[in-house]
Amino acid sequence: MKIHGKGEKEWHTEYPILKNMMDTKEVCWINPHYASFEEAIQSKDLTKEDVKEASERLVRFAPYLAKVFPETAKQGGIIESPLVSIKGMKEELEKTYNVSIEGEFLLKCDSHLAVSGSIKARGGIYEVLKHAEDIAVKHGFLTYEDDYSILAEDRFKQLFSRYSIAVGSTGNLGLSIGIMSAQLGFNVYVHMSQDAKEWKKNLLRQKGVNVIEYASDYSFAVEEGRKQAERDPNMYFVDDENSKDLFFGYAVAAERLKKQLDEKGIVVSKESPLFVYLPCGVGGGPGGVAFGLKLIFEDNVHCFFAEPTESPCMLLGMMTGLHEKVSVFDFGIHNQTDADGLAVPRPSGFVGRTMEKLLSGIYTVKDQVLYRLLKQLADTEGIYLEPSALAGVYGPVTIRQSKSGEAYFAQHLTKQATHIAWATGGSMVPKEIMNEYYRKGEEG
Ligand SMILES: *Cc1c(COP(=O)(O)O)cnc(C)c1O
């Protein structure tokens, strides 16, 4: 039987790690197309200017966000997460895996972002705000020079109530789009895959969001959302697979991180490079953040994506060059993972192509490892993350355990390096569910 025109043997000869991927074993792939920043960025039509524009838009909206989400007021309406040292966890990992992690180990706590408690509070909220701005300006309700806190007035809610927003999600994107859209006054439809947790759906319903459930996967839910929006000219579809706005919203994280590193006195240079480990689902979140980081730190930042062994869609797409044309199902991989934020069978082709020469590599993680890391991080640092978000924490140890990963480290990693695991979600998980996760971490 042929898969995408090739026999199984041919596939295995061309891509030796594919066998382990199909057996859902952990793998580490170092990107053979990784290139110097100068070469990699050529022919990309996404620029620093685009990211700057997104950043400025978020500044315009800050007075509004400070007003409607008071928890953001102390940061002036800028939704940003802490960057913290996780020394205790680093020692714990070194002991457990019998490796040494050279340099500092930090956690970027998007798990604790205000409003929606995950990395989706970046791209998702940004895209909804941009759409609201477009409508308000078009109708003469708003100019770019206004104090945007006026958007909290009733007349804006009435204006936005004539419009709808739709999105497909495994949970967290739905939370972020749903909460922000409902707050502005839009009608909002969240198409949820079977992976979505019950508490996320309930929370959205409480906020007046229309939740549509499917007994199918994320790619299917996205398609349904897309179809619904095509039928209604006043409905806007947030396209997690292709949206540049989402991508730029995520990319703004980079300049904010740079500022946090500066404040900590951490220099990023060839002698003290930055290694960043990002959990990846369809790719928009980690792709946007990594792209933003490459624009700022160029060759001195090395970005890795992390995926569940059950849903290695971006790895499959980038390794084979098939991108959105390939699904994990094509290779008999089942997409059954407790890392619900990463349970995506088919990657974003837009992100895969954009990151083709910029991404250093991708590794995969077993669910049971995620639970173990969850418990270890809770025990050593008192920080509780959802399973998906632990995938990044595994980076500095697991890359070292593969031959190609070790070679990459040997080439680029120095004693002064800084490792950052991107903690993508967790603070909104109800306590009893978190306790259950923690118990699973005790099992082995
Ligand atoms: C969505 C999500 C990711 C990955 O983002 P993508 O844009 O889907 O790649 C990672 N972690 C969590 C917790 C998420 O919700």
Side-chain angles (χ1 to χ4, degrees), residues 118-120 172 240 250 279-286 341-342 386 388-389 424-425:
S118 82
I119 189 171
K120 307 297 192 310
N172 285 340
D240 201 13
Y250 287 121
C280 177
V282 73
L342 315 179
E386 62 184 272
S388 301
T424 45

Side-chain angles (χ1 to χ4, degrees), residues 17 26-32 34 99-100 102 275 277 302-305 360-364 394-414 419:
I17 66 168
E26 291 183 346
V27 298
C28 174
W29 174 74
I30 298 299
N31 181 6
Y34 182 71
V99 294
S100 73
E102 285 152 343
F275 283 74
Y277 310 96
H302 304 272
C303 300
F304 290 86
F305 288 173
S360 295
I362 304 178
Y363 60 86
T364 60
Y394 198 39
V397 292
T398 192
I399 291 172
R400 175 137 283 164
Q401 288 170 336
S402 78
K403 226 180 183 171
S404 57
E406 179 58 44
Y408 191 92
F409 274 0
Q411 192 182 352
H412 300 284
L413 185 61
T414 70
H419 302 268

